[in-house]
C-alpha cells in the first residue's frame, strides 16, 4: 500500500472539498485536493456540462491553473488489474452547483438515487481487501444495506440505519 492510501481513503462520496486546478485536459481538469498533500482528482467538465455549454462554450469553465474551486467527491475508485499490473482508478469530483448543495448517486443495490450529502439517506461503503491496495466504494440507501444484513444481527442493522445521524430522542443517556 502506498503512503497516500489513508489520505485517499478518507474521502467519501458526497463530501465537500476544496480543489486547486493543476492542469487542463481535453475533457476537463486535474486538481489537487487542498489540505490533502499529494491527493489528486479529476473533474470531467465535458460529462458534467456539455449539454448546458454546447460546442466551444464549454471552455469558459476551464478556469486558470492555480485557481481554487469548491467541489464534491463523486467517486473514489482504486483497483489494480492483475493481468496488466497497471494501477487504475482515482477520485472524481463534481462542480455542478446542484451537487454542491445536495449530492445524489444511484444505489448499487436498488438502482434508485440516494442522497450522500450530510443528512441524506445514503451511505458509502469502502470495499477493501487484505490482499493488496485494491478498493472501491459501494453506494447504498441505509434501508437497502439494512435489508441485506442478517435479520438476527439487529445491532448491525441498527448501525446501518443510524450511523452519522443523531440518536433518537428516546435513547437512554450514556
Amino acid at each position: 500500500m502506498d503512503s497516500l492510501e489513508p489520505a485517499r481513503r478518507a474521502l467519501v462520496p458526497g463530501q465537500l472539498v476544496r480543489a486547486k486546478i493543476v492542469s487542463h485536459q481535453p475533457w476537463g481538469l486535474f486538481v489537487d485536493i487542498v489540505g490533502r498533500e499529494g491527493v489528486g482528482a479529476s473533474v470531467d467538465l465535458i460529462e458534467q456540462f456539455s449539454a448546458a455549454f454546447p460546442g466551444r462554450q464549454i471552455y469558459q469553465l476551464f478556469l486558470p491553473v492555480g485557481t481554487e474551486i469548491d467541489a464534491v467527491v463523486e467517486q473514489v475508485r482504486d483497483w489494480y488489474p492483475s493481468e496488466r499490473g497497471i494501477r487504475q482508478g482515482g477520485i472524481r469530483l463534481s462542480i455542478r452547483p446542484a451537487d454542491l448543495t445536495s449530492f445524489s448517486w444511484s444505489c448499487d443495490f436498488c438502482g434508485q438515487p440516494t442522497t450522500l450529502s450530510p443528512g441524506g439517506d445514503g451511505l458509502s461503503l469502502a470495499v477493501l481487501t487484505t490482499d493488496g491496495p485494491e478498493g472501491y466504494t459501494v453506494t447504498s440507501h441505509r434501508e437497502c444495506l439494512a435489508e441485506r444484513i442478517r435479520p438476527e444481527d439487529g445491532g448491525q442493522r441498527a448501525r446501518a440505519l443510524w450511523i452519522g445521524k443523531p440518536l433518537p430522542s428516546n435513547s437512554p443517556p450514556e
Side-chain angles (χ1 to χ4, degrees):
M1 203 177 312
D2 68 43
S3 62
L4 295 177
E5 290 302 317
R8 183 178 13 257
R9 292 225 170 110
L11 293 167
V12 179
Q15 180 180 351
L16 292 172
V17 296
R18 193 89 176 133
K20 184 176 184 177
I21 299 170
V22 295
S23 71
H24 296 153
Q25 302 300 315
W27 43 264
L29 310 168
F30 276 133
V31 299
D32 280 338
I33 310 259
V34 174
R36 300 189 188 253
E37 189 171 332
V39 177
S42 63
V43 179
D44 189 334
L45 295 174
I46 302 297
E47 184 268 326
Q48 291 178 32
F49 296 105
S50 62
F53 294 87
R56 301 194 58 77
Q57 290 179 19
I58 191 89
Y59 292 107
Q60 66 186 305
L61 298 175
F62 284 67
L63 298 172
V65 170
T67 302
E68 287 192 12
I69 56 175
D70 290 322
V72 64
V73 177
E74 185 176 78
Q75 293 178 313
V76 179
R77 303 172 300 192
D78 209 2
W79 62 93
Y80 296 71
S82 58
E83 66 275 359
R84 288 191 255 149
I86 298 172
R87 180 178 183 162
Q88 294 182 357
I91 298 164
R92 289 186 62 164
L93 303 177
S94 172
I95 61 169
R96 291 180 192 103
D99 288 347
L100 295 172
T101 304
S102 181
F103 180 72
S104 294
W105 199 257
S106 57
C107 173
D108 289 315
F109 294 116
C110 73
Q112 297 302 308
T114 183
T115 302
L116 295 169
S117 298
D121 61 345
L123 296 171
S124 293
L125 312 167
V127 179
L128 309 173
T129 177
T130 58
D131 294 328
E134 297 93 359
Y136 66 99
T137 303
V138 171
T139 300
S140 173
H141 289 100
R142 293 171 184 277
E143 290 286 338
C144 288
L145 177 61
E147 288 172 7
R148 283 157 178 85
I149 296 173
R150 295 173 300 134
E152 62 272 16
D153 199 347
Q156 290 291 64
R157 285 175 154 233
R159 285 180 191 92
L161 295 170
W162 289 104
I163 188 170
K165 291 190 169 259
L167 291 173
S169 60
N170 63 350
S171 64
E174 291 192 28

